[in-house]
Amino acid sequence: MALLRIQGGSVIDGQITASSAKNSVINLIAAALLADGVVTLSNVPHLRDVSTMIELLSNMGVIVVVNDRMELEIHPNTISSLKAPYELVKTMRASFNVLGPLIARYGEAEVSLPGGCAIGTRPVDQHLKGLRALGADIAMHEGYVKGSVQGRLRGARVVFDFSTVGGTEHLMMAAALAEGVTLLENCAKEPEIIDLANFLNLLGADIRGAGTSQIRIEGAERLDGGAFEAVSDRIEVGTYLIAAAATGGRLEICNAVAEHNSALLEKLREAGAEILTNEGKISLDMQGQRPRAVNIVTGPYPAFPTDLQAQMMTLNCLAEGACSIQETIFENRFMHVPELARMGAEIQLQNNNSVALVKGVGELIGAPVMATDLRASASLVIAGIAASGETTVDRVYHIDRGYQQIEERLQRLGVDIKREAG
Ligand code: EPZ
């Protein structure tokens, strides 16, 4: 298995350009199934999750062409199978979101249930409740969800029990081709949801209110093809900003939307960073200072994102002072804690492992560590950069799901990091 070998002690200094958001792109690829025409997505990040989604569509017979400028050309009308197999869905839960588009467009689909996940149980009950409300007949059979509808899905009112990003996106896609009006209530408000609405509206859908708790969708009879570029990846942006702050460094990020990272920027300022934002750029300067500890409570957007919790924990391990970090979205998202502890971090888990009390230590010490999920692996890379001595991060395939060219980018920012085949 490949690993990353990091010689610690560097201070991040330089400039990078953010990629398009992984968590938007994978949904746009699912949404492309709704189109009756060719969909082109530009500036698509070279990531394992994107490749999984392409493989899933290809497996259904859909022709997907990728060119050397990382443009994806999707030909949804070439589809020949309406089945998403376990082997692919289990590797990436978001691929479950092809279910709604397939039922909406073709009247039936068979999609594997995603199963468990390292960070939590992650059920799909809200997705299924919504699809049923739109008139889909949903049945479970041998680990698969079989969905069907006579004629078209029908618009309905769906009230989510709690904020669900994937659930909101899934229902928006299905409702885009339903007959009549769908009202989604208690929706998630993440920027990727607005991005999906913009994309579907470009294809001819009528979706209003994305980014608020109520989304209204007037179903269309058909959607066209079209060309689109996804919004910038706020989690990638946040990860690099935290890495710079944790090392006392400086960083300018282009193609970044400051507003999408408001909660993080506020916390980084509190930690002592000087931050300037200007027309698609975010600059951070720590002026060589050690960060101050900051309390974090994760929550649905616009609160502090769970996807930056692990990275921020590393910063706090290095900070002056102590803090508490509360994870409210996933029940098992502290798997980086024992790995950080191997590098000398002082962290105590409390309240049924939903709260971490972190006492900043002057220095982390390089060690062999193991990545357990995508964002946990990013937190270990940051720890390795800031630590003294050598760190190896094993199971690096986790990081390749969501950070393109991570070692090349970090090398350009002054980090001594290389990838080795395991
Ligand atoms: C999205 O996951 C992201 N994935 C996750 O990013 C992110 O951590 C998460 O939103 C929260 O921001 C993509 O966008 C592809 P949810 P999603 O539905 O849609 C529970 C990363 O590192 N729930 O908002 O799966 C669920 O278990 C990843 O890039 C139900 O109980 O998140 C969780 O506790 C990981 N029933 C909470 O709701 C449901 O039907 C929020 O999940 C749906 C969700």
Side-chain angles (χ1 to χ4, degrees):
M1 246 176 264
L3 57 80
L4 290 174
R5 188 177 297 280
I6 306 164
Q7 305 303 332
S10 1
V11 172
I12 284 184
D13 193 355
Q15 189 197 59
I16 58 164
T17 299
S19 317
S20 296
K22 164 193 89 95
N23 284 346
S24 183
V25 169
I26 53 186
N27 268 294
L28 298 181
I29 297 175
L33 290 169
L34 294 163
D36 183 10
V38 178
V39 168
T40 307
L41 302 177
S42 54
N43 195 22
V44 169
H46 189 54
L47 297 171
R48 205 163 66 95
D49 276 6
V50 173
S51 311
T52 303
M53 208 62 203
I54 295 172
E55 201 184 334
L56 183 72
L57 263 61
S58 306
N59 200 267
M60 293 173 183
V62 174
I63 293 174
V64 184
V65 184
V66 191
N67 68 23
D68 53 8
R69 280 168 290 137
M70 282 316 281
E71 278 170 356
L72 274 193
E73 205 180 88
I74 304 169
H75 296 254
N77 286 343
T78 57
I79 198 163
S80 56
S81 155
L82 302 175
K83 181 168 179 171
Y86 176 62
E87 294 67 41
L88 289 171
V89 180
K90 75 170 181 197
T91 63
M92 192 186 62
R93 303 178 54 80
S95 55
F96 183 71
N97 279 10
V98 298
L99 177 66
L102 290 176
I103 303 174
R105 177 102 198 270
Y106 300 101
E108 59 178 309
E110 193 179 345
V111 176
S112 169
L113 278 164
C117 171
I119 61 177
T121 49
R122 302 181 80 182
V124 287
D125 56 304
Q126 299 299 304
H127 300 231
L128 299 180
K129 163 180 129 167
L131 291 173
R132 284 191 173 109
L134 296 190
D137 191 8
I138 301 283
M140 309 296 167
H141 184 64
E142 294 177 345
Y144 279 75
V145 178
K146 284 187 170 193
S148 61
V149 66
Q150 292 291 333
R152 288 169 68 190
L153 292 172
R154 288 176 305 281
R157 177 168 176 258
V158 177
V159 185
F160 293 110
D161 293 352
F162 43 79
S163 167
T164 158
V165 179
T168 304
E169 291 165 335
H170 202 164
L171 267 292
M172 269 167 59
M173 294 189 234
L177 280 187
E179 201 176 335
V181 173
T182 297
L183 268 188
L184 303 179
E185 304 210 28
N186 198 21
C187 295
K189 301 172 190 158
E190 272 66 3
E192 293 75 24
I193 289 168
I194 302 178
D195 214 34
L196 177 62
N198 289 340
F199 169 67
L200 290 169
N201 285 343
L202 175 92
L203 304 187
D206 183 354
I207 302 178
R208 296 170 203 194
T212 73
S213 62
Q214 190 186 74
I215 301 178
R216 182 184 188 277
I217 302 144
E218 172 121 33
E221 263 186 56
R222 73 176 276 283
L223 297 179
D224 279 322
F228 192 77
E229 179 174 334
V231 66
S232 131
D233 193 323
R234 65 195 165 96
I235 305 301
E236 184 193 47
V237 167
T239 300
Y240 281 97
L241 287 173
I242 295 170
T247 62
R250 283 192 306 189
L251 182 65
E252 182 177 71
I253 308 196
C254 304
N255 185 35
V257 186
E259 188 194 328
H260 293 171
N261 270 317
S262 301
L264 170 70
L265 297 186
E266 200 181 305
K267 287 292 166 188
L268 289 173
R269 286 192 173 107
E270 209 181 310
E274 197 173 279
I275 292 172
L276 295 174
T277 62
N278 182 22
E279 292 187 8
K281 281 190 189 161
I282 303 178
S283 328
L284 174 145
D285 193 346
M286 250 344 244
Q287 294 170 331
Q289 300 298 310
R290 185 177 167 196
R292 289 189 291 272
V294 286
N295 294 327
I296 302 286
V297 181
T298 65
Y301 186 86
F304 193 93
T306 173
D307 292 347
L308 291 174
Q309 175 261 108
Q311 301 88 316
M312 207 60 184
M313 185 178 296
T314 298
L315 178 141
N316 275 308
C317 288
L318 295 155
E320 212 171 317
C323 74
S324 88
I325 298 183
Q326 189 182 355
E327 170 60 49
T328 71
I329 305 290
F330 293 111
E331 65 268 29
N332 193 26
R333 216 175 192 185
F334 280 141
M335 282 177 300
H336 39 285
V337 168
E339 300 302 308
L340 289 170
R342 302 191 66 249
M343 300 177 73
E346 286 189 29
I347 308 165
Q348 272 181 5
L349 292 180
Q350 290 193 335
N351 290 16
N352 212 9
N353 290 353
S354 65
V355 175
L357 298 180
V358 184
K359 186 166 170 285
V361 290
E363 185 184 59
L364 291 176
I365 298 165
V369 287
M370 188 137 67
T372 47
D373 74 75
L374 168 56
R375 307 305 171 187
S377 53
S379 76
L380 298 177
V381 169
I382 298 172
I385 298 169
S388 62
E390 181 178 282
T391 296
T392 52
V393 182
D394 204 353
R395 302 200 176 168
V396 71
Y397 58 86
H398 285 295
I399 213 160
D400 295 334
R401 294 185 62 168
Y403 296 93
Q404 65 174 337
Q405 301 175 309
I406 187 154
E407 64 271 28
E408 287 90 337
R409 285 176 174 210
L410 286 171
Q411 281 160 6
R412 271 187 268 125
L413 296 175
V415 176
D416 185 347
I417 181 171
K418 60 183 180 202
R419 181 179 293 247
E420 290 174 9

